Amino acid sequence: MNDPLELIEAWQQGTLNDQQAAALAEWLRDPVHAETFAREAFIHQRLRDVLHNTDVYPIEAHNTPTMRRRRSIWFTGALAAAILLAVSVWFVFYPVAEKPTQVNSLAMPVAMLSDYSADAVFTGTSQPMNLGEGLSMGPVRLASGGAQVMFKSGAVVDLIGPCEFELTGPNRGHLTSGYVSVFVPSGAAGFTIETASQRFIDMGTRFILWTTPADGATLHVLEGMVMVEDRAGGSSGQTLRRGQAWSRANTSAPSQISSFVVDDQSPARLNFEYHFGMGMTMPTFNWDASLAGGEPSTWSSHSAQTGRPLSWHLRGLPTGERDTAPAFVDVTGSSSLPITRACRFAGGFASAVIEHTLPGRNENMTLELVVKPTDLLGREILFEAGGDANGFSLLLDGVDLKLRLDEDNVADLADDRFLEATHRLSDRDIADYMQIAAVIDLDNDRIELFVNGRSVAAAQPPHHGTPAGNLRGWGGGNTDALGSANAYGNENIGGDDQDDLRDFTAFDGWITAVRFYQNQCLTPKQIQSNYQAMRRVPRARATLLKESK
Amino acid sequence: MDDSKRMQQLAMAWTKAQPAVAAFISSMVGDFHQTEDLLQKTAAAVVVKYDTYDAQRSFTAWAIGVARHEVLAHRRASARDRHVFDEHIIATVADAFAAIESEFDPMKQALAHCMQHVTGRSRRLLELRYAGDLDLPQIADRLQMKPNAVYVALHRARHMLRECIRQQLNKPDHP
């Protein structure tokens, strides 16, 4: 490799060996050559600046033909320039000492308070919280409302109260609890936020992050890329890209990655969030009616761990008539929740049968549905897995909501015995969509039923904690079904015992979201948080930067 | 001129100079994150030293001079690292950046124009290299190509861009 341009490229790529380095250095001693080098370096840097916000990993899953991709205001060149200028002007007014000591470097501003909402309440903060005020390293505690902090680097962090955030440097912070929305212009790439266990290193992007000391952290990457590392080390970092979400509960080792669709029409709103909201725990599979489209005969999700698709086959009569097949319908305005689409099950011969059985059938699990029955008159199947020897089901038995589990080879559940948690519903409950969560905790031989974020019933075998009551699985081998049995008839319903579920039929109502959590028992707090997340309306972004455009 | 006006002037001058300063730092230290850190340090130093700036001189050239000192300080602080360029070369390159400062704006515009014509695999390679910050083996892995093929393809893409920029700049009414 003797071509100087190739040597320059190798230097830029970090692949220069010692001999080549010496050759390049020798070549650069000529001022004319140095000018050529400067031109190449300028193009190299410009390419990085120009391409940095490119989506290098396009998300193929979930793209719907109706999605309009529009750049948000945050990503116009003019705005980037405005931010740069604002930061430049700002740091000019807070000049740093030429030889800072450790003490005065701590007192030097590393960011400024660039905006806050009228209802913002700051608590326990030693420094003045006035608009445009320089902020030194230290905590910013926001009890309610919203506030925006602009770092010296140009990174902009929106805090949504209640939130506890600490400025730990000119380009880094620590999120103790709460929700932040972050925009990092390319010049501030490397911006880092730490939580109790993780480090999130931005690569020129925007993302949202929330955490609580009890529940771990969740990240949504809206643009560009973010690297996630364990603060304790021990594992290599994961790179999350546009349209990916990452979640880790403090109590569970594996992190979960899922995909969502970014809706650029509003910077803070995701289609994924439309149902799932900020603060929710990431499912292994999620079927969200707002994402369904294109193919009317299946309802697909992708595994959070493997990315593998898994679909429900939506069918009507076996003869090919499609009148009673579940179908996606517009339900805008029918709910107080932000729900616009749902899968309509019309009872009769409707069926939604899974193409492959759900994974982890001998592990803990949580199943969460968001449903609205038409009435409380029938005996209907919301969900069933497995069969009469080993399986479980969520059932509507008139006014009773039932979580049924049977495992015949467990002594406590042999013969005509089974486990059931029951909750009585009222017409008021079905006036709107309900969150129903079934938790099967094999470790503790327990099943628990939740409605709208609240635990309503639980059951355990009489000899739980002993071999006689030791639950070992929930699904057997039969195919799972949603809103129906696994065939056009009503045989082999999960948890059935001596045909006592034989007269249950397909669900009559709407299902807008289905979430499956493999090997995870959601905590009551997580289930409540998921419910609250569904009810929360996305907050408008702070506007100072838009005004300065 | 009062202080606030002077500071506004500084902010605007810095905004204009920053791409060239960033390119200079990047060309000397290679690593992207080190570049960002040094760019921030340079910005802070520019503010502190602004009183010494002679308005008759080019601000960009002066800021590159400040950046040069930051690069040298960084080099001394990381004395154990491998250093490709000695102090003399750093000074030569800084002078070169200052000498061709007037070319940067036209180059920016020419590059923007030329990038519109880079499509297909060439574009994808450049995106992975510059937006994804991936090295050759990583790009090769992602595109199921051999590293050497990636090297050659990237080299060609850059060569194509270089030629396009040259042609644009040679036009009498270049963009």
Side-chain angles (χ1 to χ4, degrees), chain A residues 21 27 32 49 156 207 220 222 226 246 253 279 326 349 375 386 416 429 458 472 492 519:
Chain A
W27 182 76
V32 176
D49 291 342
V156 179
F207 63 89
H220 280 175
L222 308 182
V226 175
W246 176 97
F349 292 96
D375 56 46
D416 60 349
D429 288 320
R472 290 186 287 268
N492 293 323
N519 196 20

Side-chain angles (χ1 to χ4, degrees), chain A residues 121-132:
Chain A
V121 177
F122 297 98
T123 59
T125 302
S126 57
Q127 39 195 333
M129 301 304 287
N130 301 318
L131 195 61

Side-chain angles (χ1 to χ4, degrees), chain B residues 124-138:
Chain B
R124 182 82 180 133
L125 282 164
L126 291 172
E127 285 173 354
L128 289 169
R129 175 72 190 100
Y130 291 97
D133 210 22
L134 303 184
D135 60 23
L136 295 187
Q138 288 171 318

Side-chain angles (χ1 to χ4, degrees), chain A residues 39-40 56-57 92 187, chain B residues 7 36 86 103 124 142 162:
Chain A
R39 290 185 189 96
E40 289 296 313
V56 294
Y57 306 93
V92 163
Chain B
M7 291 301 165
E36 294 297 323
D86 62 25
E103 295 180 24
R124 182 82 180 133
R142 191 165 298 277
R162 204 177 286 128

Side-chain angles (χ1 to χ4, degrees), chain A residues 6 9 11-13 16-18 25 29 39-40 44-46 48 51 56-57 89 91-92 96 187, chain B residues 7 11 26-27 32 36 47-48 82 86 89 103 124 127 129-131 133 142 151 155 158 162:
Chain A
E6 287 189 36
E9 285 177 9
W11 160 238
Q12 289 166 344
Q13 281 164 195
L16 211 57
N17 63 32
D18 287 346
R29 292 189 188 283
R39 290 185 189 96
E40 289 296 313
H44 179 72
Q45 184 65 26
R46 282 304 298 168
R48 194 183 284 278
L51 291 171
V56 294
Y57 306 93
V89 169
F91 76 61
V92 163
V96 294
Chain B
M7 291 301 165
S26 173
S27 74
F32 181 49
E36 294 297 323
V47 174
V48 171
R82 174 194 186 221
D86 62 25
I89 290 176
E103 295 180 24
R124 182 82 180 133
E127 285 173 354
R129 175 72 190 100
Y130 291 97
D133 210 22
R142 191 165 298 277
Y151 172 81
H155 180 67
R158 288 199 196 95
R162 204 177 286 128

